[in-house]
Amino acid sequence: MVQIRSFTSTYSADRLPIQRHYNLLEILLSKLYNETGPPWVRHSMQPKKIAFGTLIIALLLQTTPIQPRAWVLEKDRLAPIPLSSGTIPLEPVTKTDFNSDGIFETVAILQNAAQIRSGSQVLWQSPPGWQVIEAMVTDLNHDGAPEAALLVWRPFKPWPVDAWLPAGGRIESFHDEAGDSCHLILIGWQRDKFREVWAGSALAEPVKSFFPADLNGDGRQELVTLEGSYADSRSAPARALKVWEWNGFGFSNVSGMDGRFEAMTIAYSGDGRTLILVP
């Protein structure tokens, strides 16, 4: 059981820095989901958990000296709005019927490998060499079919055409010191098997975390990312928050802002808008 009293009585709001408040929020939510680490990565939310997540946000609003920031997408730009205690945090979808057989499959991560499972049977697993950081069910490419969206680190590979360029290629710096690059990859059911539906080239700026959300109410998911630098460690804070939309063959940047971002979550406001919450 989570001891709410220890959260409110042990720590003084006038002395506790903002980041420690968010660390406490993450600890409480990780206890709620019975798993360490950011809880919005892996699990579906039950009604009791929704209520408890709302309570956590309410406590944060009351005890944090610097209020968390809430942003909405308005006319292709991020705009700040006040955060109310009626905000409900969203959880990623990790179960769906990919192959239309009437049985839900589950997307999961086990020791940095992504799996799509039906019960205990593994139907698809990410290749060796992939380090999968996040995985969830999305429809980011707007084709009406679900895909497993994976945030992946893997050994860098230049574009084949770059071998003919004198300067080494346009993406030659898109990797870290270990030679690994960051990618977003969509896995879906096509022609009677799971396949890569879309796999992006090495990202210019590595993604720390992502979330699919319909931010503008058009019924289609945008891609919300926290992004860093290959020069930073993977545990370093993100340097930018960005919103992307599918353009038919990849993603185009809609809006974004620079800063220092330790975490984010997506939530519904009391008036039905979809919010991006950041410390």
Side-chain angles (χ1 to χ4, degrees):
M1 179 180 295
V2 178
Q3 298 295 323
I4 299 298
R5 183 169 56 85
S6 65
F7 175 77
T8 57
S9 63
T10 303
Y11 300 95
S12 171
D14 59 352
R15 290 179 296 175
L16 193 61
I18 178 67
Q19 185 51 48
R20 289 190 61 193
H21 275 279
Y22 271 86
N23 290 343
L24 287 171
L25 173 64
E26 187 168 315
I27 290 169
L28 286 170
L29 285 174
S30 68
K31 288 180 180 293
L32 171 65
Y33 291 94
N34 298 316
E35 182 170 349
T36 58
W40 48 82
V41 174
R42 299 180 181 90
H43 298 292
S44 298
M45 194 179 257
Q46 301 298 324
K48 289 183 179 179
K49 294 179 179 179
I50 292 176
F52 193 83
T54 305
L55 173 61
I56 294 296
I57 289 179
L59 285 172
L60 187 67
L61 286 170
Q62 294 174 9
T63 61
T64 305
I66 303 175
Q67 294 297 299
R69 295 168 290 168
W71 301 82
V72 294
L73 186 65
E74 292 184 347
K75 298 180 180 179
D76 293 338
R77 70 177 184 90
L78 289 171
I81 65 166
L83 178 60
S84 69
S85 58
T87 302
I88 300 174
L90 299 184
E91 277 296 295
V93 177
T94 57
K95 294 183 179 181
T96 192
D97 183 2
F98 284 104
N99 53 11
S100 302
D101 64 353
I103 301 173
F104 272 36
E105 290 80 38
T106 300
V107 178
I109 299 175
L110 181 63
Q111 297 179 345
N112 290 123
Q115 294 182 344
I116 299 176
R117 299 195 303 246
S118 179
S120 59
Q121 182 182 7
V122 177
L123 304 178
W124 178 89
Q125 180 163 307
S126 56
W130 287 21
Q131 301 175 55
V132 182
I133 309 303
E134 294 183 355
M136 59 194 78
V137 176
T138 71
D139 185 21
L140 288 170
N141 63 359
H142 305 162
D143 65 352
E147 289 91 28
L150 310 180
L151 178 57
V152 176
W153 284 82
R154 65 183 183 183
F156 171 76
K157 291 183 179 179
W159 291 338
V161 68
D162 288 350
W164 303 95
L165 298 179
R170 290 159 287 181
I171 65 171
E172 66 169 341
S173 64
F174 296 176
H175 59 81
D176 62 12
E177 287 185 346
D180 293 328
S181 53
C182 187
H183 303 254
L184 182 70
I185 298 174
L186 304 181
I187 304 296
W189 181 261
Q190 289 186 345
R191 301 187 298 278
D192 297 325
K193 65 182 297 185
F194 285 102
R195 311 171 178 268
E196 287 187 14
V197 175
W198 181 86
S201 302
L203 297 171
E205 297 170 332
V207 171
K208 301 281 188 177
S209 183
F210 78 95
F211 204 100
D214 180 8
L215 297 176
N216 55 13
D218 66 354
R220 296 183 174 186
Q221 292 179 341
E222 284 77 42
L223 172 65
V224 187
T225 60
L226 290 183
E227 301 183 17
S229 168
Y230 285 113
D232 297 336
S233 69
R234 295 190 192 178
S235 60
R239 299 187 183 198
L241 184 153
K242 296 182 182 180
V243 177
W244 303 80
E245 65 180 2
W246 183 253
N247 59 27
F249 56 87
F251 292 92
S252 298
N253 185 229
V254 176
S255 185
M257 56 186 174
D258 295 331
R260 177 186 172 91
F261 304 97
E262 299 280 354
M264 73 168 177
T265 192
I266 307 299
Y268 284 141
S269 66
D271 60 3
R273 288 185 290 182
T274 304
L275 313 178
I276 304 171
L277 306 182
V278 293

